[in-house]
Amino acid sequence: MIIVMKYGASEAQIDAVVRKIHQSGLKEHLSRGAELTIIGVIGDEERLDPSRFAILPGVDRVNRVAKQYKIVSRSTHPDGTTIKVRGIEIGGEQVQIIAGPYAAESAQQMDLSADLLAAASCRLMRCGAFYSEPAPQKGREALAWLKDAAARHQLPVVAELPDVRMLDAFMEYDIEMIQIGERNMQNLDLLREIGRINKPIILKRGVSATIVEWLMAAESIAAGGNHNIIFCEHGIRTFENAYRNVLDISAIAVLKQETHLPVMVDPSDACGKAWMVPALAQAAIAAGADGVLLDVHPCPAEARYAADQALSLAALMQLMAGLKPLVMALGRSL
Amino acid sequence: MIIVMKYGASEAQIDAVVRKIHQSGLKEHLSRGAELTIIGVIGDEERLDPSRFAILPGVDRVNRVAKQYKIVSRSTHPDGTTIKVRGIEIGGEQVQIIAGPYAAESAQQMDLSADLLAAASCRLMRCGAFYSEPAPQKGREALAWLKDAAARHQLPVVAELPDVRMLDAFMEYDIEMIQIGERNMQNLDLLREIGRINKPIILKRGVSATIVEWLMAAESIAAGGNHNIIFCEHGIRTFENAYRNVLDISAIAVLKQETHLPVMVDPSDACGKAWMVPALAQAAIAAGADGVLLDVHPCPAEARYAADQALSLAALMQLMAGLKPLVMALGRSL
Amino acid sequence: MIIVMKYGASEAQIDAVVRKIHQSGLKEHLSRGAELTIIGVIGDEERLDPSRFAILPGVDRVNRVAKQYKIVSRSTHPDGTTIKVRGIEIGGEQVQIIAGPYAAESAQQMDLSADLLAAASCRLMRCGAFYSEPAPQKGREALAWLKDAAARHQLPVVAELPDVRMLDAFMEYDIEMIQIGERNMQNLDLLREIGRINKPIILKRGVSATIVEWLMAAESIAAGGNHNIIFCEHGIRTFENAYRNVLDISAIAVLKQETHLPVMVDPSDACGKAWMVPALAQAAIAAGADGVLLDVHPCPAEARYAADQALSLAALMQLMAGLKPLVMALGRSL
Amino acid sequence: MIIVMKYGASEAQIDAVVRKIHQSGLKEHLSRGAELTIIGVIGDEERLDPSRFAILPGVDRVNRVAKQYKIVSRSTHPDGTTIKVRGIEIGGEQVQIIAGPYAAESAQQMDLSADLLAAASCRLMRCGAFYSEPAPQKGREALAWLKDAAARHQLPVVAELPDVRMLDAFMEYDIEMIQIGERNMQNLDLLREIGRINKPIILKRGVSATIVEWLMAAESIAAGGNHNIIFCEHGIRTFENAYRNVLDISAIAVLKQETHLPVMVDPSDACGKAWMVPALAQAAIAAGADGVLLDVHPCPAEARYAADQALSLAALMQLMAGLKPLVMALGRSL
């Protein structure tokens, strides 16, 4: 931790800072420049809250130096991690396309969706959201639809866990992967709970979360013992309103350097417009993403929610056909 | 709802849009300009999801015209609403200063905090967060500390409900007002639950929520029957990093026009720096806020969390002394 | 133009709006719903400033319906436009890599840069900025260095015009393409001047400009007669600070739909980190960009400005090698 | 400057960084922690460009410690500076209301505007923009209108200098204060030129400029010798679109701590809505601003530009009446 004193800070103010460092059981390292005095704190800075130093008289600012994520950091785990879901690898040489409807509407819609995925050679099925179905019973029903539909084509499934109270149902129905939605990225209770299970987690980025906050959310999961975490970029909120959120393609490059865990991208939720999805999916994979999550619907015009972001079967097949040579050009497979 | 067709949209495309409007049991209103065709939808547009029209061929964009919040809207309730908590009015002529520690640390810290509020003539006590105390038992203990401390000075209390599972405890301890934190502003499950009780709610704005989204979150609470809602501006996230979030002072003016409900501001959480709080509190009240929420601590330098945003007793008393003439100049009382 | 009246607007207020429409020589189209009255304005809405209606009593808001860009719009020019610079096509089947140093430092640096581009098979040379060289004489000298260096390899050049006063020098030295930097995107004086010449313009997006504002800036150039405009995405400013700006990959898809003009991307300036450039360049091209602008330097560690965003010869050659199969997979050439 | 090495950086990489520090004529200060090595650079860090170190192998990041603004910094000039314009003080005990039309339309409009200001007891007249009048001759005419109108009531004037080519006209017409608009905040050529004259400058903040960038823009002016600089907050661009820009009230508090120079606020341009201006003007002054700039027009509904942000005479007088007790409550005068 680096404590920068104000221009003209007094000796007494510097002494008070040093005393507080000693009280915390750590050592200081004083550097007096012509204009500024800087105090480095040596030792386990995890134990210190910068705000307790920032408040002292004469202190200008306090910056952490060490990164606060360790388990998920690539610095302690230089090789990339591959996560397996019933034999399917995420984060390996093969790029994964996980597709499915935005919301569960009926058993038939789910069956048709699964047929559509199988026709397009997707290997995993997702269902984005249950939150439009408030009653717990409805949530269970939707999980059953999802599992039954996917089972007909041997597809492992991903579903979004909206609330910690539904975790039991997710375990009971053996949902293979659990998605944490962007609104829950910093729901510490939820992160703690899923840190205790051993299912792979897809952790979506909050629309106003920095990459560091996202890494720390993953660290909160990993701290519980579950290291099977996949990051999923979902778009961030900016001043631009030509689409829902701006897909932060640069985050893929930053994550690939900062963490050993796989990185996926959800272009459908990011932009909210089906016609933009192919361009964004291609960009995501070209930037190094390990796969994409896509909204599809057997009949987009009749979708109950977010109709304009769902791909039809024809659109999905065209997208897959476009991805094939691209993925090969990148030295990967689809 | 206004549907703007693309330049050069065909008659068949226009017909398809009109047919879909009819299928929804509504009527259309066609306006053909030299360049553009615009289709107005007449009837209860609540029943329509714009995305189902946006996806149709030839459609450029779809805009809602009617606002989606009704109960909380000033248009249906022109006079301002005053909310009473044990005889203390929020939204009336009197400006309220609600203060308390950021997090519950101990019974003694809470007692000293309550003494401090009484000394500074605050009428309501708050405790920001329990989320740093994960175990439910710890949460209950903190509620007991808060209630006992406040009771010694007859202060009604406000506490943040972090999770729907703690609502029972909040009812049992008779927490007079319930705060919904910024991360829960769009937690629909939680909004639904607190819509069914009759305690006043302080609804904080999410750091990346638009004012319209915030109004709709309040509408979700109100739809359940609980109309005792107080908006609390909490800062929004931008590119500026000289402080935590930018306090959106303009939101106060917009809310005062759009809703009849009271509006408060939390300058402490917004900026994260105790030294900035007095300037922001003054600005908030001068802009028309009905009160402010403040972080205080009996000994800021020893606060376990967010030490640099807590006001000491001396700082709080100086702030109150500065607010007094300001509030009077605005024709209100403190 | 659509004028939405406030809930409960009086007949007199509606009449006043209609009267003002008539005074402007246009016609109104009244739609009275159960709750809201909406007034459409028919005719050439270019002639109307919405703010003059927004100010009238009883008006809630005023929205334009027609887009304000025409010449650059794809709706009036469905085929894509290809711009030629000494036989090299931008916006065609071939993807262009325009590279060069961030700033002109010396004749030798420029010569080495040109050699480097030739070695890597780039077809155009750029020099980002002269603004670090305040004196006009310095600016001229830099243009001479650039042209001489490029001439040795028959490379057409692009240079950034920082100020309208330097336009004469750009013409005199026959700079083949003129770049308008992000800070000048809305400098109307400058846009007007370059609208009168016939050289291709690379128009960078301002870091806080919406896509619509960017299209309107291009329209301002085109209105003067110069339609040879190439959009260049340059990153937008957000709350994230893991890199300089977020590269808005979605803007490429939006522009490809909204305008017939070519679209390029500058990943170097967007992210400010050389190590991220290859991933972003690949993403940009996969999303449909017609080319990229890259910062290179004969010796990045010795670059006088922005050293950490410059690619070395080795890095550029590796990037080109990676782009080759990617571009082919997309059905284009390099 | 603090250079943080990557986890696991080699001795050779550390040596290379140290060697480069020595080559720059400075000294290093090495701190080896259990996990991280940090290298402090001692001496005049102004001479170093962090990017030249960031690019070295093994370097994780480079942070400046010293602030890059000196002349405008309060640390070297603890007392506040008062700037006088023909006997009127800005930055002193008296709060200044500078008002005038958004754009110059005619001599008569200017005369009526000046009459309006005199009636409302404003002491300075402003005219926001000439950029809608492209021809230089038009610009000169507008300056003449402004000066003549203001002279009838002995009001010093402020006008926005849109382009360095008009500086001569500003000097010739003896414009008492020069405003630099938000789009020119980082126009280094312009900043350099006005640094050489001795007229007070109102420096508006760019809509996406950080406070540090703004302070550095002021430093660029001051470096030329002109220290008469007044900061003017103008709103920043965010995701919220209920108004034009969010007025960053917190920036006032930060500037009051960081610089000794006066701070004003332009609520009209920030929000773009006349009805919001009084609330924002009150908030700005309550937060510590030394004054506000306001858009007024003799007949807002007929204003040629930005009609919905102009205050009428009645609205201005009501605003002044509201400010009077507020300003007194703050211990200042109007």
Side-chain angles (χ1 to χ4, degrees):
Chain A
M1 204 161 75
I2 302 282
I3 300 169
V4 182
M5 300 302 292
K6 283 186 180 157
Y7 179 91
S10 69
E11 283 306 308
Q13 290 173 334
I14 294 170
D15 286 351
V17 172
V18 170
R19 237 176 0 254
K20 192 152 187 170
I21 294 169
H22 292 177
Q23 281 164 15
S24 309
L26 300 173
K27 285 191 188 157
E28 89 286 358
H29 192 297
L30 222 76
S31 160
R32 290 172 192 272
E35 297 189 348
L36 289 175
T37 294
I38 298 168
I39 306 173
V41 183
I42 300 164
D44 180 6
E45 71 173 66
E46 293 293 297
R47 290 153 59 189
L48 294 181
D49 178 354
S51 74
R52 298 179 74 182
F53 289 88
I55 200 178
L56 296 182
V59 172
D60 189 68
R61 66 213 130 98
V62 183
N63 296 324
R64 281 189 191 278
V65 172
K67 290 172 183 173
Q68 293 187 273
Y69 43 94
K70 307 275 182 197
I71 307 170
V72 305
S73 171
R74 193 177 275 271
S75 68
T76 54
H77 194 308
D79 294 326
T81 288
T82 298
I83 292 173
K84 275 196 192 169
V85 187
R86 284 223 251 126
I88 299 162
E89 288 192 344
I90 298 175
E93 171 269 346
Q94 197 176 56
V95 168
Q96 299 301 346
I97 312 301
I98 308 181
Y102 179 81
E105 297 173 16
S106 68
Q108 193 202 13
Q109 171 230 20
M110 283 304 209
D111 284 347
L112 290 171
S113 297
D115 294 350
L116 188 157
L117 300 195
S121 307
C122 296
R123 284 185 211 89
L124 291 135
M125 179 167 183
R126 76 158 199 173
C127 184
F130 295 94
Y131 63 77
S132 36
E133 308 289 353
Q137 192 46 42
K138 281 285 176 69
R140 288 180 158 272
E141 200 174 39
L143 292 178
W145 295 339
L146 172 61
K147 282 292 291 189
D148 289 348
R152 294 168 51 235
H153 300 285
Q154 287 82 47
L155 303 169
V157 300
V158 189
E160 180 169 326
L161 178 67
D163 189 293
V164 76
R165 292 171 298 175
M166 274 196 72
L167 184 53
D168 287 348
F170 272 59
M171 300 305 283
E172 185 185 322
Y173 283 95
D174 190 25
I175 301 302
E176 281 89 352
M177 297 178 79
I178 296 180
Q179 177 176 303
I180 300 300
E182 56 95 350
R183 288 180 189 169
N184 278 321
M185 193 202 89
Q186 294 184 309
N187 181 337
L188 293 183
D189 267 357
L190 194 55
L191 300 184
R192 231 175 262 123
E193 293 294 333
I194 57 166
R196 292 189 189 122
I197 61 176
N198 65 2
K199 287 180 184 293
I201 306 298
I202 294 186
L203 180 66
K204 289 205 159 182
R205 180 183 187 180
V207 294
S208 62
T210 63
I211 298 173
V212 167
E213 289 168 343
W214 194 12
L215 285 160
M216 286 171 67
E219 187 78 9
S220 297
I221 299 171
N226 185 354
H227 297 191
N228 296 311
I229 305 164
I230 296 152
F231 289 86
C232 184
E233 163 65 21
H234 178 90
I236 57 174
R237 187 164 265 197
T238 72
F239 60 83
E240 178 57 68
N241 50 27
Y243 37 75
R244 188 186 293 140
N245 289 313
V246 60
L247 182 67
D248 182 6
I249 210 83
S250 315
I252 302 170
V254 174
L255 284 176
K256 281 287 167 191
Q257 175 170 282
E258 290 295 314
T259 178
H260 55 91
L261 294 166
V263 180
M264 296 191 76
V265 169
D266 185 333
S268 307
D269 275 5
C271 71
K273 298 281 173 201
W275 65 266
M276 292 175 68
V277 167
L280 297 186
Q282 292 185 175
I285 291 169
D290 296 305
V292 290
L293 273 73
L294 299 175
D295 266 19
V296 300
H297 195 279
C299 180
E302 298 308 317
R304 212 179 298 163
Y305 310 99
D308 53 346
Q309 75 181 48
L311 299 170
S312 64
L313 172 58
L316 179 62
M317 291 191 74
Q318 198 180 338
L319 184 152
M320 294 294 282
L323 285 182
K324 193 127 205 171
L326 185 84
V327 161
M328 284 169 58
L330 295 162
R332 302 180 80 165
S333 67
L334 191 64
Chain B
M1 203 159 78
I2 302 281
I3 300 169
V4 182
M5 301 301 293
K6 282 186 180 157
Y7 180 89
S10 71
E11 282 307 307
Q13 291 173 332
I14 295 171
D15 285 352
V17 171
V18 169
R19 235 175 5 253
K20 190 152 190 173
I21 294 171
H22 292 177
Q23 282 165 13
S24 310
L26 300 174
K27 286 189 186 156
E28 88 288 357
H29 191 295
L30 222 75
S31 161
R32 291 172 191 273
E35 298 189 346
L36 290 175
T37 295
I38 297 167
I39 306 172
V41 182
I42 300 165
D44 180 7
E45 72 173 64
E46 294 292 299
R47 290 155 56 191
L48 294 180
D49 178 355
S51 75
R52 299 179 73 182
F53 289 88
I55 201 178
L56 296 181
V59 171
D60 189 69
R61 64 211 131 103
V62 183
N63 296 323
R64 284 189 188 278
V65 172
K67 290 170 183 173
Q68 290 187 271
Y69 44 92
K70 306 277 181 196
I71 307 170
V72 305
S73 171
R74 193 175 274 272
S75 69
T76 55
H77 194 306
D79 294 328
T81 288
T82 298
I83 292 173
K84 275 195 191 170
V85 186
R86 285 223 250 125
I88 298 163
E89 288 191 347
I90 298 175
E93 171 267 349
Q94 197 175 57
V95 168
Q96 300 300 348
I97 311 302
I98 307 182
Y102 179 80
E105 297 173 16
S106 68
Q108 192 201 15
Q109 172 229 23
M110 283 302 210
D111 284 348
L112 290 172
S113 297
D115 294 350
L116 186 160
L117 300 194
S121 306
C122 296
R123 285 186 211 87
L124 292 135
M125 181 166 181
R126 77 157 198 174
C127 185
F130 296 96
Y131 64 76
S132 36
E133 307 290 351
Q137 192 46 43
K138 280 289 175 68
R140 288 181 160 267
E141 197 174 40
L143 291 178
W145 295 339
L146 172 62
K147 281 294 288 190
D148 289 348
R152 294 167 52 233
H153 301 283
Q154 286 82 46
L155 303 169
V157 302
V158 189
E160 181 168 323
L161 179 67
D163 189 292
V164 77
R165 292 172 297 175
M166 273 197 73
L167 185 53
D168 287 348
F170 272 60
M171 300 306 282
E172 185 186 323
Y173 283 95
D174 190 27
I175 302 302
E176 280 90 351
M177 300 179 78
I178 295 178
Q179 177 176 304
I180 300 300
E182 56 94 351
R183 288 181 187 168
N184 277 320
M185 193 202 89
Q186 293 185 310
N187 181 337
L188 293 183
D189 268 356
L190 192 56
L191 300 184
R192 232 176 262 123
E193 292 295 333
I194 58 165
R196 292 188 189 124
I197 61 175
N198 66 2
K199 288 182 184 292
I201 306 298
I202 294 185
L203 180 65
K204 289 206 160 181
R205 180 184 189 179
V207 294
S208 62
T210 64
I211 298 174
V212 167
E213 288 168 343
W214 194 12
L215 285 160
M216 286 172 65
E219 188 79 8
S220 297
I221 300 171
N226 185 356
H227 297 189
N228 296 310
I229 305 163
I230 296 152
F231 290 86
C232 183
E233 163 66 21
H234 178 88
I236 57 175
R237 187 165 266 197
T238 73
F239 61 84
E240 178 60 65
N241 50 25
Y243 35 76
R244 187 184 293 141
N245 289 311
V246 60
L247 182 67
D248 182 5
I249 211 81
S250 315
I252 302 170
V254 173
L255 284 177
K256 282 287 167 191
Q257 176 170 280
E258 289 296 312
T259 178
H260 54 91
L261 294 167
V263 180
M264 296 191 78
V265 169
D266 185 333
S268 307
D269 275 5
C271 70
K273 298 281 172 199
W275 66 265
M276 292 176 67
V277 167
L280 297 186
Q282 293 186 173
I285 292 171
D290 295 306
V292 290
L293 273 75
L294 300 175
D295 266 19
V296 299
H297 195 280
C299 180
E302 298 308 317
R304 213 178 299 164
Y305 310 99
D308 53 346
Q309 76 181 47
L311 297 171
S312 64
L313 173 57
L316 178 63
M317 292 192 74
Q318 198 181 338
L319 185 152
M320 293 294 282
L323 286 182
K324 193 130 208 168
L326 185 85
V327 161
M328 285 170 58
L330 295 162
R332 301 180 82 165
S333 67
L334 192 65
Chain C
M1 204 160 75
I2 301 281
I3 300 170
V4 182
M5 300 300 293
K6 282 184 180 157
Y7 180 90
S10 70
E11 283 305 309
Q13 290 174 335
I14 295 171
D15 286 353
V17 171
V18 171
R19 239 178 358 256
K20 190 150 188 173
I21 295 170
H22 292 178
Q23 281 165 16
S24 309
L26 300 173
K27 285 190 189 156
E28 88 288 357
H29 192 295
L30 222 74
S31 159
R32 290 172 193 274
E35 298 189 346
L36 289 175
T37 295
I38 298 167
I39 306 172
V41 183
I42 300 165
D44 180 8
E45 69 174 66
E46 294 292 298
R47 290 154 57 188
L48 293 181
D49 177 356
S51 75
R52 298 179 74 182
F53 289 89
I55 200 177
L56 295 183
V59 172
D60 189 68
R61 65 214 131 99
V62 183
N63 296 324
R64 283 188 189 278
V65 171
K67 290 171 183 173
Q68 291 186 272
Y69 44 91
K70 307 275 182 199
I71 307 170
V72 305
S73 171
R74 192 176 277 270
S75 69
T76 54
H77 194 308
D79 295 327
T81 288
T82 299
I83 292 174
K84 276 198 191 167
V85 186
R86 284 224 248 126
I88 298 163
E89 287 192 345
I90 299 175
E93 173 267 349
Q94 197 177 55
V95 168
Q96 300 300 347
I97 311 301
I98 308 181
Y102 180 81
E105 297 173 16
S106 68
Q108 191 203 14
Q109 170 229 24
M110 284 302 210
D111 284 348
L112 290 172
S113 297
D115 293 351
L116 187 158
L117 301 194
S121 307
C122 296
R123 285 187 209 86
L124 292 134
M125 180 169 182
R126 76 158 198 174
C127 184
F130 295 97
Y131 63 77
S132 35
E133 308 290 352
Q137 192 45 43
K138 281 285 176 70
R140 289 181 158 270
E141 199 173 39
L143 292 178
W145 295 339
L146 172 61
K147 282 292 289 190
D148 289 349
R152 294 170 49 236
H153 300 282
Q154 287 82 48
L155 303 168
V157 301
V158 188
E160 181 168 324
L161 178 67
D163 190 295
V164 76
R165 291 171 297 176
M166 274 196 72
L167 185 52
D168 287 349
F170 273 58
M171 300 305 283
E172 185 185 322
Y173 283 95
D174 189 26
I175 301 302
E176 281 90 350
M177 299 179 78
I178 295 179
Q179 176 176 302
I180 301 299
E182 56 95 352
R183 289 181 188 167
N184 277 322
M185 192 203 89
Q186 293 185 310
N187 180 337
L188 293 182
D189 267 358
L190 192 56
L191 301 184
R192 232 176 262 121
E193 292 295 333
I194 57 166
R196 292 188 189 123
I197 61 175
N198 65 1
K199 288 182 184 292
I201 306 297
I202 294 185
L203 180 65
K204 289 208 159 181
R205 180 184 188 180
V207 292
S208 62
T210 63
I211 298 174
V212 167
E213 290 168 344
W214 193 13
L215 285 159
M216 286 172 66
E219 187 79 8
S220 297
I221 299 171
N226 185 355
H227 297 191
N228 296 311
I229 304 164
I230 296 152
F231 289 86
C232 183
E233 163 66 20
H234 178 87
I236 57 175
R237 186 166 267 197
T238 72
F239 61 84
E240 179 58 67
N241 50 28
Y243 36 76
R244 188 185 293 141
N245 290 311
V246 59
L247 182 66
D248 183 6
I249 210 84
S250 315
I252 301 170
V254 174
L255 284 176
K256 282 287 166 192
Q257 176 170 279
E258 289 297 313
T259 178
H260 53 92
L261 294 167
V263 180
M264 295 191 78
V265 169
D266 185 333
S268 307
D269 275 4
C271 71
K273 298 282 173 199
W275 66 265
M276 294 175 65
V277 166
L280 298 185
Q282 292 185 176
I285 290 169
D290 296 306
V292 291
L293 274 74
L294 300 174
D295 267 20
V296 299
H297 194 280
C299 180
E302 298 308 316
R304 211 179 298 163
Y305 310 99
D308 52 347
Q309 75 180 48
L311 298 171
S312 64
L313 171 57
L316 178 62
M317 292 192 74
Q318 197 180 341
L319 185 151
M320 294 294 281
L323 285 182
K324 193 128 207 171
L326 186 86
V327 161
M328 284 169 59
L330 296 162
R332 303 180 80 165
S333 66
L334 190 64
Chain D
M1 205 159 74
I2 302 282
I3 300 169
V4 182
M5 300 302 291
K6 282 186 181 155
Y7 180 90
S10 69
E11 283 305 308
Q13 291 172 333
I14 294 171
D15 286 353
V17 172
V18 170
R19 240 181 354 259
K20 191 151 187 173
I21 294 170
H22 292 177
Q23 281 165 15
S24 308
L26 300 175
K27 285 189 187 158
E28 88 288 357
H29 191 297
L30 220 75
S31 159
R32 290 172 191 273
E35 298 189 347
L36 289 175
T37 295
I38 298 168
I39 306 172
V41 183
I42 300 165
D44 181 8
E45 71 174 67
E46 295 292 297
R47 289 154 57 189
L48 294 180
D49 179 354
S51 75
R52 299 179 74 180
F53 289 89
I55 201 178
L56 296 182
V59 171
D60 189 70
R61 64 213 129 99
V62 183
N63 295 323
R64 282 189 188 278
V65 172
K67 291 172 182 173
Q68 292 187 272
Y69 43 93
K70 306 275 183 197
I71 308 171
V72 306
S73 170
R74 192 176 274 274
S75 68
T76 53
H77 194 308
D79 295 327
T81 289
T82 299
I83 292 173
K84 275 196 191 169
V85 186
R86 284 223 250 127
I88 298 164
E89 287 193 345
I90 298 176
E93 170 268 347
Q94 197 177 56
V95 168
Q96 300 300 347
I97 312 302
I98 308 182
Y102 180 81
E105 298 173 14
S106 69
Q108 192 201 15
Q109 172 230 23
M110 283 303 211
D111 284 348
L112 289 172
S113 297
D115 294 351
L116 187 159
L117 300 195
S121 307
C122 295
R123 284 186 210 90
L124 291 135
M125 181 167 182
R126 76 156 198 173
C127 185
F130 295 96
Y131 64 78
S132 36
E133 309 287 353
Q137 191 45 41
K138 279 289 175 68
R140 288 180 158 270
E141 199 173 38
L143 290 179
W145 294 338
L146 172 61
K147 283 292 289 190
D148 289 349
R152 291 168 53 234
H153 299 285
Q154 287 82 48
L155 303 169
V157 302
V158 189
E160 181 169 325
L161 179 67
D163 189 294
V164 76
R165 292 171 297 174
M166 273 197 71
L167 184 53
D168 287 349
F170 272 58
M171 300 305 282
E172 184 185 323
Y173 283 96
D174 190 25
I175 301 303
E176 280 90 351
M177 297 178 81
I178 296 179
Q179 178 176 303
I180 300 301
E182 56 95 351
R183 288 181 189 169
N184 277 321
M185 192 202 89
Q186 293 185 309
N187 180 336
L188 293 183
D189 267 356
L190 193 56
L191 301 184
R192 232 176 261 124
E193 292 294 332
I194 58 167
R196 293 190 188 123
I197 62 175
N198 65 2
K199 287 182 185 293
I201 305 298
I202 294 185
L203 179 66
K204 288 205 160 183
R205 180 184 187 179
V207 294
S208 62
T210 63
I211 298 174
V212 167
E213 289 169 343
W214 195 11
L215 284 159
M216 285 172 65
E219 188 79 9
S220 296
I221 299 172
N226 186 355
H227 298 189
N228 296 311
I229 305 165
I230 296 151
F231 289 86
C232 184
E233 162 66 22
H234 178 88
I236 56 174
R237 185 164 268 198
T238 73
F239 60 83
E240 178 60 67
N241 50 25
Y243 37 75
R244 188 184 293 142
N245 289 313
V246 59
L247 183 67
D248 181 5
I249 211 82
S250 315
I252 302 170
V254 174
L255 284 177
K256 281 288 168 190
Q257 176 171 282
E258 289 297 313
T259 177
H260 55 91
L261 294 167
V263 180
M264 297 191 77
V265 170
D266 185 333
S268 307
D269 275 4
C271 71
K273 297 282 173 199
W275 66 265
M276 292 176 67
V277 167
L280 297 186
Q282 292 185 174
I285 291 170
D290 296 305
V292 290
L293 273 75
L294 300 174
D295 265 20
V296 298
H297 195 280
C299 180
E302 298 308 317
R304 211 178 297 165
Y305 309 99
D308 53 345
Q309 76 180 48
L311 298 170
S312 64
L313 173 56
L316 178 62
M317 292 191 74
Q318 198 180 339
L319 185 153
M320 294 293 281
L323 285 182
K324 192 129 207 170
L326 185 86
V327 161
M328 284 169 59
L330 295 162
R332 303 180 80 164
S333 67
L334 192 64

